[in-house]
Amino acid sequence: MKLSGYIPIAVVTAALAVVPFISSSNTLFNFMVMSLIITLAAQGWNILGGVAGQTSFGHALFFGVGCYTASILQVHVGLNAWVAFLLALLAGAAAGFILGFLSFRAGLRGSYFALITLAFAELMRILANASEWTGGAAGLLLKLDPGFANMQFESRASFLWLALAFVFVGLVISRAIAGSRFGAHLVAVRENEDAARALGVDVLSVKLKAISLSGAMTAAAGVLYVQNFLYIDANIGFGVWISVEALLAPLVGGRGLVLGPLIGTFTLHGLGELTKSFAGRIPGIDLMVFAVVLIGVVAFASGGVLGLVRRFAPRLARRIAI
């Protein structure tokens, strides 16, 4: 992959990074931070579900593992937030490896694999609700102590830049995978698993690497969520909402494409916020928007927003390497 393939990533990241210099609106900051957290989770989903073709309905499993690993290590063990973050990434990768090993060794594909991921996420939600280490139904509250060592910042802009840095790393990793031999193997597995195996691709190993990386990236999103809100409970960490958001964003932005999760997340959340501003704070109005957008994408633009760019502006798509 040529360095020119990374230019769109640098441009998008730089454009988002200057937002704090343009506006100090708390509403805008909250929108940006939450969108970046969802983008990171969606990037994790995209590697497994978009590039490798292993659709997951239960990425809340990895998000919750990240949330709770970071929280428990800080609250009960007293570890530094950055050390807890690294261990949360390892926990997310381990959760992905275990789930993948059990599922892929059993030959689960398609809807069977999607449902087993949902089942594991729900199982973890029930266990988290019942465990004392996770605070049970009351959840865990992190101590407010702003400082770089605690991954807490008095300035909202600092946390926004931290979240953006995480998304930038996720984009670079995704781009590197797209131009690598491993990326080619992922696409081969997605297109025809049996043919890929016949050509000498170690399908199980490729899938396990994909789900482990996906789990670590989604766990990182969970850590960011906890560090931003300083609170977690089972319905947030392992809730269906994050599985839906992580899945919808790549579908709307462009499944399997590097910038797809970012474009999809900001499109969905932007439309949701616009709808709220016109229709008022009606409960669930943003979910209705998500449903309408999803129906529109499935019916008229299966490649998502970036797929439309490829179709109607192929020269622009080649220029920005999508």
Side-chain angles (χ1 to χ4, degrees):
M1 175 62 67
K2 297 178 181 177
L3 286 178
S4 59
Y6 294 89
I7 292 177
I9 296 174
V11 171
V12 170
T13 306
L16 294 175
V18 300
V19 169
F21 297 109
I22 299 173
S23 172
S24 59
S25 165
N26 277 332
T27 302
L28 179 61
F29 274 46
N30 290 335
F31 167 76
M32 290 282 296
V33 168
M34 198 60 202
S35 295
L36 290 170
I37 291 172
I38 299 300
T39 296
L40 192 57
Q43 286 175 321
W45 187 95
N46 198 41
I47 290 174
L48 180 67
V51 184
Q54 310 301 309
T55 300
S56 163
F57 288 167
H59 256 51
L61 169 66
F62 310 126
F63 186 84
V65 165
C67 290
Y68 275 112
T69 302
S71 302
I72 289 172
L73 289 176
Q74 291 181 70
V75 173
H76 294 307
V77 184
L79 274 186
N80 174 277
W82 293 95
V83 177
F85 162 69
L86 292 176
L87 292 176
L89 293 192
L90 291 177
F97 184 87
I98 294 170
L99 173 60
F101 187 80
L102 295 175
S103 304
F104 299 140
R105 287 279 292 179
L108 297 180
R109 301 185 192 178
S111 56
Y112 296 102
F113 173 72
L115 290 174
I116 202 69
T117 60
L118 182 62
F120 267 84
E122 185 62 13
L123 173 65
M124 289 299 292
R125 189 187 67 80
I126 295 170
L127 291 176
N129 252 328
S131 171
E132 291 184 5
W133 274 78
T134 59
L140 283 176
L141 190 65
L142 269 66
K143 180 183 176 183
L144 176 63
D145 189 9
F148 182 79
N150 298 322
M151 209 186 286
Q152 298 178 25
F153 307 94
E154 293 186 3
S155 164
R156 298 284 292 158
S158 298
F159 195 87
L160 189 155
W161 286 323
L162 175 68
L164 183 59
F166 279 44
V167 169
F168 174 75
V169 171
L171 289 170
V172 170
I173 291 173
S174 299
R175 174 60 72 193
I177 289 175
S180 69
R181 185 183 181 87
F182 174 54
H185 286 173
L186 290 176
V187 173
V189 169
R190 179 187 68 194
E191 296 301 321
N192 192 320
E193 193 171 316
D194 295 327
R197 186 179 289 106
L199 290 172
V201 176
D202 187 341
V203 173
L204 177 61
S205 174
V206 168
K207 285 183 174 180
L208 288 177
K209 289 176 183 174
I211 196 171
S212 299
L213 180 57
S214 179
M217 201 173 286
T218 310
V223 176
L224 278 182
Y225 184 94
V226 166
Q227 295 302 136
N228 185 50
F229 293 100
L230 302 179
Y231 173 76
I232 188 66
D233 68 18
N235 292 327
I236 296 173
F238 295 108
V240 175
W241 72 276
I242 184 62
S243 294
V244 173
E245 296 251 18
L247 184 153
L248 276 182
L251 293 183
V252 171
R255 180 174 180 167
L257 301 176
V258 173
L259 293 175
L262 179 69
I263 300 295
T265 302
F266 276 83
T267 300
L268 283 170
H269 282 252
L271 288 173
E273 291 301 318
L274 279 176
T275 304
K276 287 176 184 175
S277 66
F278 287 111
R281 296 284 168 178
I282 301 175
I285 189 69
D286 54 336
L287 297 179
M288 293 176 63
V289 172
F290 289 2
V292 171
V293 172
L294 179 61
I295 292 171
V297 167
V298 171
F300 305 108
S302 58
V305 174
L306 296 180
L308 289 176
V309 175
R310 276 183 165 179
R311 184 190 303 175
F312 296 108
R315 294 181 65 181
L316 174 63
R318 284 194 296 272
R319 182 168 296 179
I320 60 177
I322 61 173

